[in-house]
Amino acid sequence: MATTLQRSSSAALFDKAQTLFPGGVNSPVRAFQSVGGTPLFMDRGQGAHIWDADGNEFIDFCCSWGPLILGHAHPAVVERVSATLANGTSFGTPTRLENELGELILSNHQYADRIRFVSSGTEAAMSAIRLARGVTGRDKIIKFDGCYHGHADALLVKAGSGLATLGTSSSAGVPEAYARETLVLPLNDLDALEQCVATYKDQIAVVAIEPIPANNGLLIQDPDFLREVRRICTREGILLLFDEVISGFRVGFEGAAGLYDIQPDVLAFGKIIGGGLPVGAYAASEEVMRHIAPTGPVYQAGTLSGNPVAMAAGVAQLSECLKPGFYEDLDRKAARLVDPVVAHAQAKGYSFNIFRRGSIFWLAFSDAVHIRRSDQIDPDSMAYFSKLHAALLERGVYLGPSGYEVGFVSAAHTDADLGRAAQAFTEALDVAFA
Ligand SMILES: *Cc1c(COP(=O)(O)O)cnc(C)c1O
């Protein structure tokens, strides 16, 4: 049943925040600009549930935008972090916890041999690009329209006008000279890729892709497309970067590389890897990673990189992910949420579908069977999302406040949570389509 949400404490906190931070937030999508209203300020989380400053309780499908695959305040994570914290938070020296997390990952991930920890996904992707340029001695990079790789200059670039592949910066403050080194192509289009590598023969260092693009809707790629991208990169001496900041440890411990059995040359990680603390990483073969300082000429460093508290959270979380049946269970849970909602929409004849890969899901206000490119998303459909989002909040379900963002099911969601949430989704859909 719907209730009118009490929001006065969140509204007061947001008023204050607007006197402190641009737009009242420390990351733009938190601002509720695309759905309207003021953001809810969260006070605490436990398992799949979160409570805001007004005491409203929600079943959470944002999960901090992906990191919280075990839900909030998982006992194993809390315990390990607390024990580590008591011994000091950072030394600026190597610690045994870095070895522990590094070994845990590399011994269970056959697509990576060496890893370097950083503190965010942005840093991971940015460093992976620099590494690829350093290894190949080439400057240009290819990325795809609809993929996000964090906010480094080279990657805040969108497709130019018309058929031009030369990128143009998608943010003020990014010099056009940098943007020109980034070539932007449509997803799922091999001809465009072939043409681009022919035009810029021997100038392209790396093709960067989210193998499961999940930052602009969920643009599930044809595995054959990914395999062909791999083949073209190998043929042209271009490194292939899989940005697995979302998909890594999410669709399986080995992420999309494991799911599709494709060996990228470089991998970027973030989100889940830090157990809810700020961790990113990039990984590759020993031969490629040797190019990084101090063994090689590509410079990259970090005062808090690999800090023990964050490493402890990662160890605790990833150890849970490695338990037998973990990902099968997560997949079953996600189906328990999604399937009844899609069935309801079909029965009602709504132009609506939920795309899902494992525990990542995306609400599409569309009849399309596949959506593989960002230009296949109708911006007008976002009006439905805004209504749905508001109706879900009133029914105790929290989704990230943008229709272009995906949702996540965590291991903490119980069958009861998922049943209740599915009921809320069906009611909210009826509201959105009324
Ligand atoms: C979230 C994300 C990033 C950026 O990670 P931050 O930790 O936010 O800097 C990069 N790439 C992908 C695919 C992401 O989803």
Side-chain angles (χ1 to χ4, degrees):
M1 268 306 292
T3 54
T4 304
L5 214 57
Q6 171 63 248
R7 286 172 105 138
S8 54
S9 295
S10 280
L13 287 164
F14 190 54
D15 283 346
K16 179 72 186 177
Q18 283 178 296
T19 70
L20 302 169
F21 316 117
V25 291
N26 287 295
S27 193
V29 79
R30 297 177 192 170
F32 270 54
Q33 271 186 349
S34 68
V35 292
T38 55
L40 303 181
F41 279 60
M42 291 303 157
D43 273 348
R44 69 191 175 92
Q46 187 64 59
H49 295 246
I50 50 177
W51 287 264
D52 72 11
D54 291 283
N56 301 304
E57 178 179 351
F58 303 93
I59 304 172
D60 180 23
F61 293 101
C62 177
C63 296
S64 191
W65 305 100
L68 302 181
I69 198 169
L70 304 179
H72 297 267
H74 188 279
V77 177
V78 171
E79 203 171 294
R80 193 76 202 255
V81 165
S82 308
T84 308
L85 202 52
N87 291 325
T89 54
S90 187
F91 301 95
T93 69
T95 60
R96 66 178 75 231
L97 274 158
E98 291 158 73
N99 286 11
E100 198 178 333
L101 184 58
E103 185 166 33
L104 185 101
I105 293 167
L106 295 179
S107 62
N108 290 288
H109 199 304
Q110 60 174 319
Y111 302 86
D113 293 333
R114 294 286 187 280
I115 191 163
R116 166 67 61 85
F117 290 115
V118 293
S119 299
S120 69
T122 291
E123 229 187 312
M126 176 188 82
S127 308
I129 297 285
R130 183 180 305 141
L131 171 62
R133 285 172 160 160
V135 168
T136 58
R138 300 170 174 181
D139 286 345
K140 293 210 185 299
I141 65 173
I142 289 178
K143 75 179 282 287
F144 294 92
D145 202 23
C147 289
Y148 177 67
H149 305 291
H151 64 85
D153 283 345
L155 295 162
L156 278 187
V157 175
K158 61 178 191 284
S161 54
L163 293 174
T165 50
L166 282 180
T168 160
S169 54
S170 60
S171 162
V174 176
E176 285 300 322
Y178 293 8
R180 277 198 295 275
E181 300 302 317
T182 301
L183 307 162
V184 184
L185 301 179
L187 283 161
N188 195 43
D189 187 340
L190 283 174
D191 291 343
L193 179 60
E194 285 286 18
Q195 234 169 38
C196 184
V197 301
T199 306
Y200 297 98
K201 186 112 188 113
D202 300 332
Q203 296 176 53
I204 299 164
V206 62
V207 171
I209 190 168
E210 280 182 88
I212 302 177
N215 277 286
N216 201 313
L218 182 61
L219 306 173
I220 297 170
Q221 298 300 292
D222 184 341
D224 284 338
F225 171 71
L226 297 172
R227 278 190 274 273
E228 279 302 301
V229 172
R230 170 68 279 180
R231 198 183 57 76
I232 292 167
C233 284
T234 305
R235 188 190 74 203
E236 300 292 331
I238 298 169
L239 298 192
L240 175 60
L241 165 61
F242 271 10
D243 181 345
E244 299 234 41
V245 172
I246 281 189
S247 53
F249 316 104
R250 169 60 68 179
V251 298
F253 195 86
E254 294 177 308
L259 184 69
Y260 299 128
D261 189 23
I262 296 173
Q263 174 70 60
D265 300 298
V266 190
L267 288 143
F269 298 118
K271 299 199 166 99
I272 290 173
I273 199 173
L277 273 78
V279 182
Y282 57 106
S285 65
E286 194 275 326
E287 191 193 334
V288 167
M289 289 300 269
R290 224 182 359 216
H291 289 76
I292 296 288
T295 44
V298 179
Y299 193 70
Q300 184 274 310
T303 300
L304 291 171
S305 291
N307 102 79
V309 181
M311 295 292 103
V315 167
Q317 175 150 282
L318 293 187
S319 298
E320 295 295 316
C321 295
L322 283 167
K323 288 183 175 168
F326 179 85
Y327 289 102
E328 289 79 359
D329 194 42
L330 207 53
D331 186 71
R332 184 191 62 75
K333 285 181 181 209
R336 190 172 158 81
L337 171 70
V338 166
D339 292 353
V341 182
V342 171
H344 176 78
Q346 277 172 355
K348 291 281 181 119
Y350 297 150
S351 180
F352 176 83
N353 198 359
I354 302 181
F355 291 96
R356 178 170 83 81
R357 189 49 99 237
S359 53
I360 311 172
F361 67 88
W362 176 56
L363 313 177
F365 292 84
S366 161
D367 293 318
V369 181
H370 297 294
I371 298 185
R372 303 206 194 277
R373 294 166 46 143
S374 54
D375 60 3
Q376 292 167 334
I377 303 174
D378 176 7
D380 291 341
S381 71
M382 294 301 152
Y384 288 99
F385 179 82
S386 298
K387 286 186 199 163
L388 181 88
H389 188 265
L392 281 173
L393 288 180
E394 289 169 359
R395 287 164 179 78
V397 170
Y398 189 85
L399 280 184
S402 163
Y404 290 96
E405 300 286 349
V406 296
F408 299 96
V409 175
S410 78
H413 285 93
T414 63
D415 281 352
D417 291 329
L418 296 163
R420 266 183 50 205
Q423 176 63 29
F425 269 88
T426 56
E427 288 177 22
L429 267 183
D430 291 341
V431 172
F433 281 97

